Amino acid sequence: MSEDVEQTLRQHGFQVTAQRIAILRALSSHPHATADELAADVRASIGSISRQAVYDTLGLMVDKGLIRRIQPSGFTARYEDRVNDNHHHLICRSCDSLVDIDCATGDTPCLSAGDDHGFVIDEAEVIYWGYCPACRGKAAPAKPGSSPKSSTT
Amino acid sequence: MSEDVEQTLRQHGFQVTAQRIAILRALSSHPHATADELAADVRASIGSISRQAVYDTLGLMVDKGLIRRIQPSGFTARYEDRVNDNHHHLICRSCDSLVDIDCATGDTPCLSAGDDHGFVIDEAEVIYWGYCPACRGKAAPAKPGSSPKSSTT
DNA sequence: ACCAATTCTGGACTTAGTCAAGTATTTGCC
DNA sequence: GGCAAATACTTGACTAAGTCCAGAATTGGT
């Protein structure tokens, strides 16, 4: 299994180092982890790693499309290794839990924006906000001034 | 015109203060501004304002649905006063320009997620990533290791 | 095994944002 | 219009996330 990770690294043009292997493995066991959480996980397996190495590696991997970085409003950056598989994220406003969600609409649904302003669009990132089963009852904090925010789409 | 802003504040249950009026007006002339940019703008019109007042006010206004906060990956939080009008955002990966974009798909399109995991979804936030007309030619930084990232949807 | 290129470390630094205590302003009421 | 209670604002210290830099260590091709 360590070989798989090594393979992946080489295929994407990375030098193979203990740190990178550890980061990648940490990521696959902790999807949606923050840089610090990954660092902690890596330290548990490797002994130690510098913060800089973590940020450098994650940054490079994101650039090469090996992993994905997400950063919803109010959260610090999170990373995941599910990539190129057409999924989105669903976040509970109350307890901050974050789950993956597959897009119902086929292959490139949301890519059809109205007027694209001349941009070449290569990705549509969707974040669904709401309340998870556990918080659904207890929370529902009836936003006072505003209408129930029906179709922010 | 100052009266409009006052009205809006009262309607949403706010006390009316010079700072709040100034923030709201700054926001309508600078859509997608950061907290610091707004503070600077307010200082230009009012003389001075504390950072805390800016954050407090923006936070309250977001809570009451008067304004919206967006924070794309790699950006600091931005605020806008277009609210409840079903629009999304389009960002250039190269020059970071950010434009509004209306959703083509009608009223509550992207709200139809596949399996909602039992969540009650009240908002679907969409961010389109790509290259603006100006950067389209010059940038296109041919992501090496990864396939052209066709349908991240 | 050696050398150049790449990567990692450690520490200082920056930026965005929060906390808490005290002061000022607003607003409802007389 | 004046007063008190509630609300808002200011100041300054603090935290967390992330960046910068220079030097040491590792990797991988020969």
Side-chain angles (χ1 to χ4, degrees):
Chain A
M1 145 162 198
S2 194
E3 285 68 34
D4 289 355
V5 174
E6 252 190 76
Q7 279 304 326
T8 312
L9 284 171
R10 287 189 207 284
Q11 281 166 13
H12 287 262
F14 286 101
Q15 279 192 190
V16 175
T17 67
Q19 290 85 343
R20 287 173 179 180
I21 292 175
I23 288 176
L24 220 36
R25 299 181 72 176
L27 200 46
S28 73
S29 61
H30 285 173
H32 311 136
T34 64
D36 271 1
E37 286 163 0
L38 291 171
D41 192 323
V42 167
R43 281 193 196 102
S45 61
I46 284 291
S48 82
I49 193 172
S50 68
R51 184 179 4 175
Q52 197 54 43
V54 175
Y55 281 111
D56 283 355
T57 302
L58 290 173
L60 284 174
M61 288 179 176
V62 168
D63 283 351
K64 301 241 173 137
L66 222 175
I67 63 176
R68 193 143 88 95
R69 171 193 164 115
I70 58 176
Q71 185 179 18
S73 236
F75 286 64
T76 60
R78 266 134 229 278
Y79 299 85
E80 66 182 352
D81 58 357
R82 274 187 70 183
V83 120
N84 289 334
D85 75 340
N86 193 36
H87 80 280
H88 300 312
H89 298 103
L90 175 47
I91 306 176
C92 176
R93 291 185 194 278
S94 166
C95 68
D96 287 353
S97 63
L98 191 165
V99 307
D100 285 336
I101 192 168
D102 293 302
C103 191
T105 338
D107 271 336
T108 53
C110 301
L111 278 178
S112 54
D115 172 6
D116 66 7
H117 291 256
F119 279 56
V120 176
I121 299 177
D122 59 31
E123 180 181 358
E125 176 185 7
V126 184
I127 299 179
Y128 297 94
W129 296 90
Y131 294 93
C132 73
C135 298
R136 220 164 43 190
K138 75 167 196 255
K143 310 228 167 179
S146 69
S147 56
K149 210 184 238 177
S150 52
S151 67
T152 320
T153 307
Chain B
M1 146 163 196
S2 193
E3 285 68 34
D4 290 356
V5 174
E6 252 190 78
Q7 279 304 327
T8 312
L9 284 170
R10 287 189 208 284
Q11 282 165 12
H12 286 263
F14 286 101
Q15 278 193 190
V16 175
T17 68
Q19 291 86 341
R20 286 173 180 180
I21 291 174
I23 288 176
L24 221 34
R25 299 182 72 176
L27 200 46
S28 72
S29 60
H30 285 173
H32 312 136
T34 63
D36 272 359
E37 287 163 0
L38 291 171
D41 192 324
V42 167
R43 281 190 198 105
S45 63
I46 284 292
S48 83
I49 194 172
S50 68
R51 183 178 4 174
Q52 197 56 41
V54 175
Y55 280 111
D56 283 355
T57 302
L58 290 172
L60 283 174
M61 288 179 175
V62 168
D63 283 352
K64 300 242 173 134
L66 221 175
I67 65 177
R68 194 144 86 97
R69 172 194 164 115
I70 59 175
Q71 186 179 19
S73 237
F75 286 64
T76 60
R78 267 133 228 278
Y79 300 86
E80 66 181 352
D81 58 357
R82 276 187 68 183
V83 121
N84 288 335
D85 75 339
N86 194 38
H87 80 279
H88 301 313
H89 298 103
L90 175 47
I91 305 176
C92 175
R93 291 184 192 279
S94 166
C95 69
D96 287 354
S97 63
L98 192 166
V99 308
D100 285 337
I101 192 169
D102 293 303
C103 192
T105 339
D107 271 337
T108 53
C110 301
L111 277 178
S112 54
D115 172 8
D116 66 7
H117 290 256
F119 278 57
V120 176
I121 298 176
D122 58 31
E123 180 180 0
E125 177 184 7
V126 183
I127 298 180
Y128 297 95
W129 296 90
Y131 293 92
C132 73
C135 297
R136 220 165 43 189
K138 75 167 197 254
K143 309 229 167 180
S146 69
S147 56
K149 210 184 238 177
S150 51
S151 67
T152 322
T153 307

